[in-house]
Amino acid sequence: MAKILVADVAATNARLVRVLEGRHEMHFATTMEEALSTLKERAFDLIICGMDFDESQMIELLRTVKGIEELANTRFICLRVGIPAAEEEQVLKLARFMGACKYIALE
């Protein structure tokens, strides 16, 4: 059972619960403060962060996680729900450059 931190808005969190509930230990954060506090309290196997997290702070959370030695090797998945196609390629490139292991688009 993996420990997963889901950092996103409540609506996306609910979708992920339906998919992952019961198979993984899940923790949720909707703000940068909550996410960083939770990451200080316990280790996670995976962070899933959505584009809409805390007013579009996904890349900032990714940058922060990868910049902290104890967290730098934590797998980080960037999740997109409903971003315009014109912006998607730029976000994908930036997420990969910053160290995200995956970029997933949900419809």
Side-chain angles (χ1 to χ4, degrees), residues 2-3 8 15 21 29 34 50 55-56 58 64-65 71 74-76 82 84 86 88 95:
K3 291 182 185 174
D8 207 344
R15 289 178 74 178
E21 188 174 39
E34 281 181 318
E55 299 182 11
S56 301
M58 178 184 74
T64 300
V65 166
L71 301 175
T74 305
R75 292 176 184 237
F76 196 108
E88 185 170 8

Side-chain angles (χ1 to χ4, degrees), residues 13-107:
N13 289 347
R15 289 178 74 178
L16 290 172
V17 165
R18 287 193 302 267
V19 174
L20 301 172
E21 188 174 39
R23 292 184 265 173
H24 302 286
E25 180 181 327
M26 298 175 65
H27 299 263
F28 299 91
T30 56
T31 67
M32 184 70 79
E33 272 185 46
E34 281 181 318
L36 295 176
S37 175
T38 303
L39 287 166
K40 287 179 184 176
E41 293 172 5
R42 62 182 52 92
F44 288 92
D45 302 304
L46 174 66
I47 299 168
I48 300 173
C49 186
M51 285 289 301
D52 295 326
F53 167 69
D54 198 10
E55 299 182 11
S56 301
Q57 293 292 310
M58 178 184 74
I59 295 298
E60 186 57 35
L61 180 60
L62 174 57
R63 179 188 341 260
T64 300
V65 166
K66 295 303 179 180
I68 298 172
E69 186 175 340
E70 299 82 21
L71 301 175
N73 291 323
T74 305
R75 292 176 184 237
F76 196 108
I77 294 177
C78 295
L79 185 65
R80 180 219 25 112
V81 180
I83 188 173
E87 296 175 27
E88 185 170 8
E89 186 63 28
Q90 292 174 342
V91 173
L92 172 61
K93 286 180 183 178
L94 183 57
R96 285 188 178 153
F97 177 76
M98 297 293 299
C101 66
K102 284 280 187 201
Y103 179 87
I104 299 172
L106 293 180
E107 298 305 323

